[in-house]
Tab-separated table of all heavy atoms in Angstrom:
chain	number	residue	atom	x	y	z
C	1	GLU	N	106.057	115.779	102.434
C	1	GLU	CA	105.401	114.970	101.410
C	1	GLU	C	106.370	113.923	100.871
C	1	GLU	O	107.539	114.225	100.621
C	1	GLU	CB	104.909	115.844	100.253
C	1	GLU	CG	103.795	116.786	100.656
C	1	GLU	CD	103.287	117.629	99.508
C	1	GLU	OE1	104.119	118.110	98.705
C	1	GLU	OE2	102.065	117.806	99.422
C	2	PHE	N	105.865	112.714	100.724
C	2	PHE	CA	106.619	111.625	100.119
C	2	PHE	C	105.912	111.213	98.835
C	2	PHE	O	104.693	111.015	98.832
C	2	PHE	CB	106.686	110.409	101.057
C	2	PHE	CG	107.400	110.678	102.346
C	2	PHE	CD1	106.697	111.021	103.481
C	2	PHE	CD2	108.785	110.588	102.407
C	2	PHE	CE1	107.356	111.265	104.677
C	2	PHE	CE2	109.455	110.831	103.602
C	2	PHE	CZ	108.739	111.173	104.736
C	3	ASN	N	106.664	111.100	97.750
C	3	ASN	CA	106.140	110.615	96.476
C	3	ASN	C	106.954	109.381	96.112
C	3	ASN	O	108.161	109.476	95.875
C	3	ASN	CB	106.268	111.687	95.386
C	3	ASN	CG	105.432	112.904	95.705
C	3	ASN	OD1	104.219	112.816	95.803
C	3	ASN	ND2	106.076	114.040	95.901
C	4	TYR	N	106.304	108.225	96.066
C	4	TYR	CA	106.983	106.964	95.838
C	4	TYR	C	106.995	106.608	94.360
C	4	TYR	O	106.120	107.004	93.595
C	4	TYR	CB	106.297	105.849	96.638
C	4	TYR	CG	106.192	106.171	98.117
C	4	TYR	CD1	104.969	106.465	98.708
C	4	TYR	CD2	107.323	106.188	98.925
C	4	TYR	CE1	104.867	106.760	100.062
C	4	TYR	CE2	107.239	106.480	100.278
C	4	TYR	CZ	106.007	106.768	100.832
C	4	TYR	OH	105.919	107.063	102.153
C	5	ASP	N	107.985	105.824	93.948
C	5	ASP	CA	108.102	105.382	92.553
C	5	ASP	C	106.971	104.446	92.153
C	5	ASP	O	106.622	104.351	90.982
C	5	ASP	CB	109.440	104.678	92.316
C	5	ASP	CG	110.613	105.630	92.408
C	5	ASP	OD1	110.404	106.840	92.230
C	5	ASP	OD2	111.731	105.164	92.667
C	6	GLY	N	106.437	103.734	93.118
C	6	GLY	CA	105.354	102.784	92.850
C	6	GLY	C	104.441	102.717	94.043
C	6	GLY	O	104.633	103.415	95.036
C	7	PRO	N	103.425	101.872	93.966
C	7	PRO	CA	102.475	101.769	95.076
C	7	PRO	C	103.130	101.198	96.338
C	7	PRO	O	103.963	100.299	96.271
C	7	PRO	CB	101.388	100.832	94.550
C	7	PRO	CG	101.825	100.353	93.221
C	7	PRO	CD	103.077	101.044	92.837
C	8	VAL	N	102.739	101.752	97.469
C	8	VAL	CA	103.213	101.318	98.782
C	8	VAL	C	101.999	100.809	99.541
C	8	VAL	O	100.944	101.446	99.529
C	8	VAL	CB	103.875	102.492	99.533
C	8	VAL	CG1	104.250	102.095	100.946
C	8	VAL	CG2	105.075	103.006	98.773
C	9	THR	N	102.154	99.678	100.217
C	9	THR	CA	100.998	99.128	100.935
C	9	THR	C	101.168	99.149	102.444
C	9	THR	O	100.204	98.956	103.161
C	9	THR	CB	100.717	97.679	100.493
C	9	THR	OG1	101.904	96.910	100.684
C	9	THR	CG2	100.293	97.624	99.037
C	10	GLU	N	102.365	99.376	102.935
C	10	GLU	CA	102.580	99.453	104.376
C	10	GLU	C	103.529	100.602	104.677
C	10	GLU	O	104.657	100.615	104.193
C	10	GLU	CB	103.169	98.146	104.915
C	10	GLU	CG	102.233	96.968	104.793
C	10	GLU	CD	102.842	95.688	105.332
C	10	GLU	OE1	103.933	95.753	105.948
C	10	GLU	OE2	102.228	94.636	105.152
C	11	SER	N	103.073	101.561	105.465
C	11	SER	CA	103.895	102.704	105.830
C	11	SER	C	103.742	102.941	107.324
C	11	SER	O	102.662	103.296	107.795
C	11	SER	CB	103.444	103.929	105.026
C	11	SER	OG	104.179	105.065	105.393
C	12	TYR	N	104.825	102.713	108.069
C	12	TYR	CA	104.827	102.895	109.520
C	12	TYR	C	105.669	104.128	109.827
C	12	TYR	O	106.811	104.209	109.394
C	12	TYR	CB	105.413	101.659	110.213
C	12	TYR	CG	104.615	100.414	109.931
C	12	TYR	CD1	104.955	99.563	108.888
C	12	TYR	CD2	103.493	100.105	110.692
C	12	TYR	CE1	104.216	98.421	108.617
C	12	TYR	CE2	102.746	98.968	110.432
C	12	TYR	CZ	103.110	98.133	109.397
C	12	TYR	OH	102.371	97.014	109.130
C	13	ASN	N	105.100	105.073	110.544
C	13	ASN	CA	105.744	106.380	110.705
C	13	ASN	C	105.766	106.831	112.157
C	13	ASN	O	104.890	106.488	112.952
C	13	ASN	CB	104.986	107.421	109.877
C	13	ASN	CG	104.924	107.034	108.423
C	13	ASN	OD1	105.839	107.306	107.677
C	13	ASN	ND2	103.855	106.360	108.015
C	14	GLU	N	106.767	107.663	112.449
C	14	GLU	CA	106.930	108.273	113.757
C	14	GLU	C	107.427	109.692	113.528
C	14	GLU	O	108.408	109.894	112.814
C	14	GLU	CB	107.954	107.450	114.539
C	14	GLU	CG	108.216	107.929	115.926
C	14	GLU	CD	109.171	106.999	116.657
C	14	GLU	OE1	108.744	105.898	117.049
C	14	GLU	OE2	110.330	107.389	116.831
C	15	VAL	N	106.745	110.680	114.103
C	15	VAL	CA	107.159	112.072	113.937
C	15	VAL	C	107.223	112.758	115.296
C	15	VAL	O	106.492	112.420	116.218
C	15	VAL	CB	106.215	112.866	112.987
C	15	VAL	CG1	106.254	112.273	111.584
C	15	VAL	CG2	104.799	112.918	113.507
C	16	ARG	N	108.125	113.724	115.375
C	16	ARG	CA	108.266	114.579	116.561
C	16	ARG	C	108.144	116.018	116.069
C	16	ARG	O	109.150	116.680	115.841
C	16	ARG	CB	109.626	114.335	117.226
C	16	ARG	CG	109.735	113.008	117.924
C	16	ARG	CD	111.164	112.740	118.380
C	16	ARG	NE	111.268	111.590	119.237
C	16	ARG	CZ	111.308	110.338	118.812
C	16	ARG	NH1	111.264	110.074	117.515
C	16	ARG	NH2	111.402	109.336	119.664
C	17	LEU	N	106.933	116.469	115.915
C	17	LEU	CA	106.690	117.785	115.322
C	17	LEU	C	105.878	118.712	116.219
C	17	LEU	O	105.614	119.851	115.837
C	17	LEU	CB	105.968	117.616	113.968
C	17	LEU	CG	106.774	116.896	112.887
C	17	LEU	CD1	105.890	116.573	111.679
C	17	LEU	CD2	107.958	117.738	112.464
C	18	ARG	N	105.484	118.251	117.391
C	18	ARG	CA	104.713	119.103	118.301
C	18	ARG	C	105.670	119.963	119.120
C	18	ARG	O	106.587	119.449	119.757
C	18	ARG	CB	103.861	118.247	119.232
C	18	ARG	CG	103.059	119.058	120.216
C	18	ARG	CD	102.189	118.161	121.061
C	18	ARG	NE	101.517	118.918	122.089
C	18	ARG	CZ	100.486	118.458	122.774
C	18	ARG	NH1	100.022	117.248	122.542
C	18	ARG	NH2	99.931	119.195	123.700
C	19	PRO	N	105.485	121.286	119.113
C	19	PRO	CA	106.353	122.157	119.924
C	19	PRO	C	106.218	121.836	121.416
C	19	PRO	O	105.147	121.469	121.897
C	19	PRO	CB	105.819	123.566	119.626
C	19	PRO	CG	105.125	123.438	118.302
C	19	PRO	CD	104.539	122.052	118.301
C	20	LEU	N	107.318	121.974	122.122
C	20	LEU	CA	107.331	121.725	123.564
C	20	LEU	C	106.585	122.814	124.323
C	20	LEU	O	106.520	123.955	123.889
C	20	LEU	CB	108.765	121.701	124.081
C	20	LEU	CG	109.628	120.508	123.721
C	20	LEU	CD1	111.053	120.715	124.227
C	20	LEU	CD2	109.050	119.238	124.303
C	21	THR	N	106.073	122.441	125.466
C	21	THR	CA	105.587	123.411	126.435
C	21	THR	C	106.593	123.394	127.575
C	21	THR	O	106.849	122.344	128.166
C	21	THR	CB	104.182	123.043	126.935
C	21	THR	OG1	103.261	123.188	125.856
C	21	THR	CG2	103.762	123.932	128.096
C	22	ASP	N	107.201	124.550	127.827
C	22	ASP	CA	108.183	124.643	128.905
C	22	ASP	C	108.098	126.028	129.520
C	22	ASP	O	107.101	126.721	129.372
C	22	ASP	CB	109.585	124.298	128.403
C	22	ASP	CG	110.085	125.210	127.283
C	22	ASP	OD1	109.498	126.297	127.076
C	22	ASP	OD2	111.069	124.846	126.613
C	23	ASP	N	109.162	126.458	130.224
C	23	ASP	CA	109.117	127.752	130.898
C	23	ASP	C	109.266	128.931	129.937
C	23	ASP	O	109.097	130.079	130.337
C	23	ASP	CB	110.180	127.827	131.996
C	23	ASP	CG	111.582	127.607	131.476
C	23	ASP	OD1	111.738	127.052	130.371
C	23	ASP	OD2	112.536	127.980	132.180
C	24	LYS	N	109.561	128.677	128.658
C	24	LYS	CA	109.722	129.759	127.686
C	24	LYS	C	108.615	129.830	126.648
C	24	LYS	O	108.475	130.837	125.963
C	24	LYS	CB	111.068	129.623	126.972
C	24	LYS	CG	112.249	129.792	127.898
C	24	LYS	CD	113.549	129.721	127.160
C	24	LYS	CE	114.699	129.893	128.130
C	24	LYS	NZ	115.986	129.827	127.466
C	25	GLN	N	107.842	128.761	126.500
C	25	GLN	CA	106.774	128.759	125.501
C	25	GLN	C	105.693	127.776	125.909
C	25	GLN	O	105.930	126.862	126.697
C	25	GLN	CB	107.293	128.408	124.119
C	25	GLN	CG	107.760	126.969	123.980
C	25	GLN	CD	108.312	126.669	122.600
C	25	GLN	OE1	108.788	127.562	121.910
C	25	GLN	NE2	108.253	125.429	122.188
C	26	SER	N	104.507	127.979	125.349
C	26	SER	CA	103.386	127.098	125.626
C	26	SER	C	102.723	126.723	124.306
C	26	SER	O	102.358	127.604	123.517
C	26	SER	CB	102.395	127.813	126.544
C	26	SER	OG	101.309	126.974	126.829
C	27	CYS	N	102.583	125.434	124.072
C	27	CYS	CA	101.898	124.968	122.864
C	27	CYS	C	100.401	124.999	123.161
C	27	CYS	O	99.891	124.189	123.922
C	27	CYS	CB	102.359	123.563	122.490
C	27	CYS	SG	101.605	122.944	120.978
C	28	LEU	N	99.697	125.951	122.550
C	28	LEU	CA	98.277	126.133	122.825
C	28	LEU	C	97.411	125.137	122.066
C	28	LEU	O	96.356	124.742	122.543
C	28	LEU	CB	97.861	127.560	122.467
C	28	LEU	CG	98.600	128.672	123.211
C	28	LEU	CD1	98.133	130.036	122.727
C	28	LEU	CD2	98.430	128.527	124.713
C	29	SER	N	97.844	124.759	120.856
C	29	SER	CA	97.090	123.763	120.092
C	29	SER	C	98.023	123.049	119.131
C	29	SER	O	99.056	123.586	118.724
C	29	SER	CB	95.939	124.417	119.323
C	29	SER	OG	96.433	125.270	118.304
C	30	PHE	N	97.633	121.827	118.783
C	30	PHE	CA	98.428	121.011	117.857
C	30	PHE	C	97.485	120.071	117.132
C	30	PHE	O	96.604	119.461	117.747
C	30	PHE	CB	99.483	120.200	118.610
C	30	PHE	CG	100.266	119.274	117.716
C	30	PHE	CD1	101.306	119.764	116.941
C	30	PHE	CD2	99.939	117.936	117.636
C	30	PHE	CE1	102.017	118.911	116.102
C	30	PHE	CE2	100.647	117.086	116.800
C	30	PHE	CZ	101.684	117.571	116.033
C	31	ARG	N	97.663	119.957	115.811
C	31	ARG	CA	96.862	119.028	115.013
C	31	ARG	C	97.768	118.358	113.989
C	31	ARG	O	98.540	119.029	113.297
C	31	ARG	CB	95.722	119.766	114.305
C	31	ARG	CG	94.798	118.822	113.543
C	31	ARG	CD	93.728	119.563	112.793
C	31	ARG	NE	94.419	120.311	111.736
C	31	ARG	CZ	93.947	121.387	111.146
C	31	ARG	NH1	92.807	121.887	111.501
C	31	ARG	NH2	94.635	121.996	110.213
C	32	LEU	N	97.665	117.046	113.894
C	32	LEU	CA	98.406	116.255	112.916
C	32	LEU	C	97.398	115.619	111.971
C	32	LEU	O	96.451	114.974	112.414
C	32	LEU	CB	99.214	115.160	113.622
C	32	LEU	CG	99.827	114.067	112.748
C	32	LEU	CD1	100.973	114.618	111.908
C	32	LEU	CD2	100.309	112.909	113.601
C	33	THR	N	97.597	115.826	110.664
C	33	THR	CA	96.747	115.180	109.666
C	33	THR	C	97.629	114.511	108.628
C	33	THR	O	98.744	114.971	108.350
C	33	THR	CB	95.794	116.180	108.966
C	33	THR	OG1	96.575	117.224	108.385
C	33	THR	CG2	94.796	116.774	109.934
C	34	THR	N	97.111	113.426	108.074
C	34	THR	CA	97.832	112.720	107.024
C	34	THR	C	96.886	112.470	105.858
C	34	THR	O	95.672	112.400	106.014
C	34	THR	CB	98.375	111.356	107.518
C	34	THR	OG1	97.285	110.506	107.867
C	34	THR	CG2	99.312	111.530	108.691
C	35	LYS	N	97.490	112.357	104.682
C	35	LYS	CA	96.731	111.988	103.490
C	35	LYS	C	97.550	110.945	102.763
C	35	LYS	O	98.667	111.260	102.345
C	35	LYS	CB	96.497	113.201	102.591
C	35	LYS	CG	95.631	112.901	101.393
C	35	LYS	CD	95.364	114.145	100.592
C	35	LYS	CE	94.513	113.798	99.389
C	35	LYS	NZ	94.290	114.970	98.559
C	36	PRO	N	97.094	109.713	102.663
C	36	PRO	CA	95.816	109.170	103.098
C	36	PRO	C	95.640	109.306	104.617
C	36	PRO	O	96.600	109.319	105.378
C	36	PRO	CB	95.877	107.690	102.695
C	36	PRO	CG	97.063	107.527	101.825
C	36	PRO	CD	97.933	108.706	102.036
C	37	ALA	N	94.394	109.375	105.017
C	37	ALA	CA	94.056	109.575	106.419
C	37	ALA	C	94.485	108.381	107.257
C	37	ALA	O	94.472	107.235	106.791
C	37	ALA	CB	92.555	109.806	106.563
C	38	SER	N	94.905	108.666	108.474
C	38	SER	CA	95.289	107.610	109.417
C	38	SER	C	94.976	108.080	110.825
C	38	SER	O	94.760	109.268	111.057
C	38	SER	CB	96.778	107.289	109.287
C	38	SER	OG	97.551	108.401	109.686
C	39	GLN	N	94.968	107.135	111.747
C	39	GLN	CA	94.815	107.477	113.161
C	39	GLN	C	96.189	107.474	113.807
C	39	GLN	O	96.995	106.579	113.549
C	39	GLN	CB	93.905	106.474	113.865
C	39	GLN	CG	92.463	106.583	113.460
C	39	GLN	CD	91.579	105.680	114.304
C	39	GLN	OE1	92.045	104.739	114.933
C	39	GLN	NE2	90.291	105.981	114.318
C	40	SER	N	96.441	108.467	114.635
C	40	SER	CA	97.741	108.531	115.299
C	40	SER	C	97.595	108.249	116.789
C	40	SER	O	96.527	108.436	117.367
C	40	SER	CB	98.385	109.903	115.078
C	40	SER	OG	97.623	110.911	115.694
C	41	ARG	N	98.688	107.802	117.349
C	41	ARG	CA	98.803	107.621	118.792
C	41	ARG	C	99.990	108.473	119.231
C	41	ARG	O	100.910	108.713	118.453
C	41	ARG	CB	99.051	106.161	119.132
C	41	ARG	CG	97.850	105.286	118.859
C	41	ARG	CD	98.071	103.890	119.449
C	41	ARG	NE	96.846	103.144	119.484
C	41	ARG	CZ	96.414	102.383	118.476
C	41	ARG	NH1	97.114	102.298	117.368
C	41	ARG	NH2	95.287	101.715	118.586
C	42	SER	N	99.979	108.887	120.486
C	42	SER	CA	101.079	109.739	120.942
C	42	SER	C	101.541	109.330	122.328
C	42	SER	O	100.797	108.736	123.104
C	42	SER	CB	100.651	111.207	120.933
C	42	SER	OG	99.603	111.419	121.855
């Protein structure tokens, strides 16, 4: 969570939070949500 001192009108973000799928684990599902709502690309 980010709480800003004042209003922000442009926020560009990049996250790496999805667990890897490899020979030791499998990511069965992943969901990213933001508030305010946004569309993500990956």
